Each structure stands twice: as structure tokens, then as C-alpha cells.
Amino acid sequence: QVQLMESGGGLVQPGGSLRLSCVASESSINPRGWYRQAPGKERELVARITSIGFTSYADSVKGRFTISRDNAKNAVSLQMNSLKPDDTAVYYCNAILGNVEVWGQGTLVTVSS
């Protein structure tokens, strides 16, 4: 079964940091980014990275979040610094398998004092 295994969510105070990780269960899956969905809002793109390392970010996270990939482990990570309450959401890893999108189960990030 195709899987994306996410980890790293949790509760953090404003200004704190978290690191999310996503590992694909098969080499044919290409993890390529992170999305998030806050309560009552639509899912939105947070950051994306190509297979050769080109990155793009949502304006709201530029300068605070960094996406990276480890091709040997078939994994992507999201380093989140200077977290704000508005960053509270369920974060989803996104990947592509052929022409099919694959999603992780989501990991909750809560930014609160």
C-alpha cells in the first residue's frame, strides 16, 4: 500500500520551531511538498520542492519555513521557525506517483501560548 509517513507535529509556543518530516514507502513515489488546512479554511500550498531542489513558498511563510529533500531516503522535510498562531493547521505531505497525487494522513501543528 502506498504510504507517506509524516512526523513532527505538535504544540509549540509563538516564536518557536518545529520540523516536519515525510518519508515515502516506495521509491516510485516522489514527495514534493507540504500543504496545510486550518479549521474552516481550504487546504493551501505551504512549500514545494522539485526533484532537483528548486523551492517555492507561500508568501505567508517565506523567510520562516524551509523545505528540503533527501533523495536517498525519498523524504522531504519542512523546518518551521518563528511560528505564529496563524500557522496552526493540519499539515499534509504531498507526493506524486506517476500522474496520481498521494497525500499523507496529516500532522497537527498547534501554535499557542
Side-chain angles (χ1 to χ4, degrees), residues 7 14-15 28 30-31 38-39 41 44 49 54 56 58 61 70 75 92 97 104 106 112:
S7 61
S28 55
N30 177 26
K41 295 186 178 181
E44 62 176 359
I49 186 167
F54 289 113
S56 58
V61 306
D70 184 336
Y92 296 91
L97 173 60
S112 176

Side-chain angles (χ1 to χ4, degrees), residues 5-6 23 28 37 42 45 49-50 58 65 72 75-76 84 86 94 97-98 101:
M5 293 162 283
E6 300 159 333
V23 180
S28 55
Q37 187 166 17
E42 293 186 354
L45 175 67
I49 186 167
T50 70
F65 291 11
V76 293
K84 305 174 181 179
D86 284 349
N94 174 259
L97 173 60
E101 280 196 302

Side-chain angles (χ1 to χ4, degrees), residues 35-39 43 87-92 105-109:
Y35 287 68
R36 68 185 181 187
Q37 187 166 17
R43 190 174 297 189
D87 295 318
T88 295
V90 178
Y91 285 71
Y92 296 91
Q105 80 283 358
T107 184
L108 178 62
V109 171

Side-chain angles (χ1 to χ4, degrees), residues 22-110:
C22 172
V23 180
S25 60
E26 300 177 8
S27 60
S28 55
I29 303 171
N30 177 26
R32 60 179 186 176
W34 291 89
Y35 287 68
R36 68 185 181 187
Q37 187 166 17
K41 295 186 178 181
E42 293 186 354
R43 190 174 297 189
E44 62 176 359
L45 175 67
V46 176
R48 181 173 287 183
I49 186 167
T50 70
S51 58
I52 56 173
F54 289 113
T55 59
S56 58
Y57 297 91
D59 287 344
S60 59
V61 306
K62 283 181 181 176
R64 300 188 297 122
F65 291 11
T66 302
I67 189 170
S68 60
R69 67 183 304 125
D70 184 336
N71 288 329
K73 296 180 180 179
N74 207 19
V76 293
S77 296
L78 185 68
Q79 178 66 42
M80 305 185 294
N81 298 329
S82 302
L83 283 160
K84 305 174 181 179
D86 284 349
D87 295 318
T88 295
V90 178
Y91 285 71
Y92 296 91
C93 182
N94 174 259
I96 195 80
L97 173 60
N99 294 322
V100 178
E101 280 196 302
V102 180
W103 294 93
Q105 80 283 358
T107 184
L108 178 62
V109 171
T110 303

